[in-house]
Amino acid sequence: MSKQDVEVGSSPHHSPHLKVKSISAQLLAACSKYLIMLNIGMGISYPTIAIPPILNSSTGLSLNQDEASWFASLVFIWQPVGSITSVPMSGLGRKRSMFYLQIPLFIAWILPFFAETVWELYIAASIMGLGIGFMQAPIATYIGEVTLPQYRGLLACIAYCFLTLGSVCVYAIDVIVGNWRYTALYCAVMPPLTAILLYIIPESPIWLVSQGRYAEAKKALSWLRGWVAESEVEQEFKTMLIHNSPKFAALVDNEIPSVSGGFEMDSNEQVKNETYKELKDEQSNVTQTDVDTGLEITKPKKTEDEKEKDTNWSGNKKEEEPFIRFIGRPEMYRPLLLSAVYLYLSNGIGVAAFRPYLVLIFRDFRIEFIDEYIATIAVTTIGLVGNIASVVLMPLIGKRRLTIIAIISCAVGCFGIGIYKVIDDYQPIPPNMTWLAIAFMIAIFFATNLAVGHMPWVLMSEIFPLRGRTLATGVVAGFGNFVQFLGTKLFITYVDEMYLSGTFFMYGATFMVGLIYLYFFLIETEGRSLDDIVTMFRGKQ
């Protein structure tokens, strides 16, 4: 049986009742990410409603244009710091990392309510950025590790509905309460609610296996597959061990060995240094028993050439390739480059860059039939429809086609706004035609939420090999946040130098260049196992 024939995470359940339980358990685990994404959506959208009432205000706290651009962008410059420094936190596990990081998010929401100076707003935005950055690696990897391949893309996409819903919520709360300070106070309830849910769900079984905590991993897997007995996940757990445990991976050559025996383990037993011992060395087959799990593994006896290629297991850990060389392997550098390009399109331009100034942009359009705050809620809600469309369409047409459609739509919307503003600056657009600006903005928001805004983050949970997954996810997420900081901070500068029309023309052209790259290098990952995806990047298929 070849390695590709066994899919990690393939469901053992065929009964409709068990299938519903399995989906329910995975959905409940995914809800932890959904609440976090809701909070993140609120946090990155908060400057949109906080800036207009205090920009050049004659009373109370006031910001000039430069200070406003810093307040809008600081949340993004600190995210890469949090993303990169989150790598050492991987030792805490996915779940525990997300749990503890609700504390800075809570503090970041409380501070604006009491802020009396611009520096207090800067501190609040910085803490929010650090908290979001710390969480990006664990939340990106958690969904990929706890869900079955056939549900992974769907559940990950739903998370980005909550990101957009967070924007809609913070805009709606501000319209209802009419005060940016109280809006922050109401948003502060989110971190405690998220912490409660994180306390309930299990740790990632793949992470537990990688740490040698096999009993806890099997228990977590049983929970995630519908609160079933451990015997129900026996085969999936065996495959998970072989693919994700260094000592079991040492026994995988061209074939997965035949497996007999159970996995009954003493949960308090220490992982022992002497991992395997040979039971039958002179026979045609060699049987080895893992002292931690009680697993008996039978393999054909090796030839002398095969023995030379293997590491001698006598209690010594298999020597691994240096990590710096591992980064140079195709399965690492190809997804890194792909993620960087896609994240620039997602974060460096478009909605991610101009979101904090959306109310001000609508004012510049001079739209008379709708209030700029209501228009902001309206186009963001249309974006939420784009998220829902993404959830429906992704299993049908895949991530690659969805990406191409969305990028083309974003480019058309940006070019449309550019042309609209060129005409409007030359001769004001008649009031009965200003709806065109709203239509082009709706196209951008819908397409962004259809794929451009969230697809690179979905891909990040799938495309990196286990060994470098945490580091790669943290580094790429940091890059994405850094370019979002630059795009947000420089937006006002772009408008001053190129006007609003030139800025959107530049966005449209950048989308088209990015489209060419992704057309040739973006692979389809929908419905594939994590191991299949890594193999595709390695170039074997």
Side-chain angles (χ1 to χ4, degrees):
M1 178 171 56
S2 68
K3 190 172 181 177
Q4 282 73 24
D5 291 334
V6 179
E7 181 177 283
V8 177
S10 58
S11 176
H13 308 307
H14 302 288
S15 163
H17 174 67
L18 292 177
K19 186 175 181 180
V20 169
K21 288 181 64 179
S22 175
I23 295 173
S24 300
Q26 292 172 76
L27 182 60
L28 182 58
C31 282
S32 61
K33 180 172 183 175
Y34 299 163
L35 289 182
I36 290 172
M37 297 301 285
L38 186 70
N39 199 6
I40 292 175
M42 290 177 168
I44 63 177
S45 302
Y46 180 68
T48 305
I49 56 94
I51 288 175
I54 58 178
L55 182 63
N56 299 321
S57 174
S58 58
T59 59
L61 182 57
S62 176
L63 305 180
N64 59 37
Q65 277 198 346
D66 184 60
E67 291 170 335
S69 69
W70 277 109
F71 175 49
S73 58
L74 272 174
V75 67
F76 304 115
I77 190 56
W78 285 106
Q79 284 182 41
V81 178
S83 296
I84 295 172
T85 54
S86 70
V87 175
M89 293 186 65
S90 63
L92 293 175
R94 321 298 192 209
K95 169 185 169 177
R96 193 180 298 179
S97 297
M98 292 187 289
F99 182 86
Y100 289 137
L101 290 170
Q102 299 310 304
I103 297 173
L105 295 183
F106 179 76
I107 295 172
W109 279 121
I110 292 295
L111 284 177
F113 180 77
F114 299 100
E116 298 295 335
T117 67
V118 64
W119 284 100
E120 291 171 89
L121 292 180
Y122 289 169
I123 292 172
S126 299
I127 294 175
M128 177 68 73
L130 279 170
I132 294 173
F134 279 133
M135 283 193 300
Q136 282 179 332
I139 65 175
T141 54
Y142 185 77
I143 288 288
E145 292 177 351
V146 302
T147 56
L148 293 168
Q150 60 266 40
Y151 308 132
R152 188 191 310 126
L154 175 65
L155 293 176
C157 256
I158 292 174
Y160 295 93
C161 294
F162 281 83
L163 184 68
T164 306
L165 183 61
S167 299
V168 174
C169 287
V170 77
Y171 300 154
I173 292 171
D174 183 68
V175 169
I176 294 170
V177 303
N179 185 290
W180 59 276
R181 293 184 186 272
Y182 281 98
T183 298
L185 192 62
Y186 287 128
C187 291
V189 303
M190 287 306 304
L193 289 177
T194 306
I196 293 172
L197 179 60
L198 286 167
Y199 181 79
I200 298 172
I201 63 174
E203 179 57 87
S204 160
I206 289 181
W207 181 84
L208 290 168
V209 164
S210 71
Q211 301 298 305
R213 294 159 61 178
Y214 304 118
E216 296 173 60
K218 195 172 186 183
K219 184 178 180 181
L221 187 61
S222 301
W223 193 102
L224 291 164
R225 296 303 175 256
W227 306 283
V228 298
E230 292 186 3
S231 59
E232 295 289 328
V233 296
E234 188 81 15
Q235 186 58 49
E236 182 180 356
F237 183 58
K238 293 174 184 177
T239 309
M240 184 178 291
L241 283 175
I242 292 168
H243 284 290
N244 298 283
S245 173
K247 64 179 184 178
F248 279 91
L251 296 177
V252 181
D253 301 305
N254 295 323
E255 296 185 351
I256 294 181
S258 58
V259 181
S260 62
F263 281 86
E264 286 72 21
M265 293 169 283
D266 180 0
S267 59
N268 297 317
E269 186 177 2
Q270 297 289 328
V271 176
K272 298 173 183 175
N273 291 328
E274 184 173 344
T275 311
Y276 294 97
K277 55 184 178 180
E278 295 182 356
L279 298 180
K280 299 176 182 178
D281 194 32
E282 300 298 328
Q283 302 176 11
S284 59
N285 290 328
V286 178
T287 301
Q288 297 176 314
T289 301
D290 177 56
V291 296
D292 294 327
T293 64
L295 173 66
E296 293 183 354
I297 301 176
T298 302
K299 300 177 59 185
K301 190 172 181 180
K302 293 183 179 296
T303 65
E304 293 301 320
D305 289 339
E306 290 174 326
K307 289 180 179 179
E308 290 180 4
K309 296 178 182 179
D310 289 341
T311 302
N312 182 24
W313 276 84
S314 300
N316 296 323
K317 187 177 180 180
K318 182 182 177 182
E319 184 179 354
E320 291 184 327
E321 179 182 18
F323 192 76
I324 191 66
R325 291 182 60 188
F326 181 73
I327 294 176
R329 294 170 66 95
E331 61 265 35
M332 275 296 291
Y333 76 77
R334 287 174 181 170
L336 277 170
L337 183 58
L338 173 69
S339 298
V341 172
Y342 207 158
L343 277 170
Y344 184 78
L345 300 181
S346 172
N347 289 20
I349 60 176
V351 172
F354 65 72
R355 181 189 290 109
Y357 315 103
L358 193 55
V359 173
L360 303 178
I361 291 173
F362 282 131
R363 284 180 184 173
D364 189 63
F365 287 159
R366 296 192 296 274
I367 300 171
E368 298 180 359
F369 65 88
I370 188 172
D371 177 78
E372 56 265 26
Y373 286 93
I374 302 299
T376 298
I377 295 176
V379 298
T380 308
T381 303
I382 295 297
L384 182 59
V385 176
N387 283 125
I388 297 172
S390 178
V391 171
V392 175
L393 292 175
M394 185 180 296
L396 300 177
I397 66 175
K399 300 182 180 75
R400 175 182 163 82
R401 290 181 182 176
L402 208 59
T403 291
I404 293 172
I405 293 170
I407 292 179
I408 292 174
S409 300
C410 279
V412 170
C414 289
F415 285 132
I417 288 180
I419 294 171
Y420 178 94
K421 282 304 297 177
V422 167
I423 298 173
D424 187 54
D425 291 341
Y426 178 76
Q427 183 176 353
I429 298 288
N432 64 337
M433 296 297 292
T434 54
W435 62 268
L436 285 170
I438 295 287
F440 288 129
M441 191 63 76
I442 285 175
I444 295 173
F445 267 79
F446 182 84
T448 297
N449 289 277
L450 183 66
V452 176
H454 65 269
M455 197 64 74
W457 303 97
V458 174
L459 291 171
M460 280 165 53
S461 68
E462 302 178 314
I463 60 179
F464 295 111
L466 176 64
R467 184 182 177 191
R469 187 175 299 159
T470 301
L471 177 62
T473 303
V475 170
V476 173
F479 171 80
N481 292 313
F482 178 71
V483 296
Q484 188 164 3
F485 160 75
L486 288 180
T488 305
K489 182 68 178 72
L490 295 175
F491 179 80
I492 291 178
T493 303
Y494 291 153
V495 173
D496 288 342
E497 297 295 327
M498 299 185 292
Y499 305 106
L500 193 62
S501 57
T503 301
F504 275 86
F505 278 132
M506 179 187 69
Y507 288 166
T510 306
F511 276 123
M512 294 308 297
V513 172
L515 175 64
I516 295 172
Y517 175 86
L518 292 177
Y519 179 83
F520 288 103
F521 295 103
L522 178 61
I523 66 172
E524 182 56 71
T525 64
E526 184 63 18
R528 295 181 181 271
S529 71
L530 301 182
D531 294 295
D532 286 342
I533 295 168
V534 171
T535 301
M536 291 179 69
F537 277 110
R538 192 180 295 127
K540 289 187 177 180
Q541 62 180 42

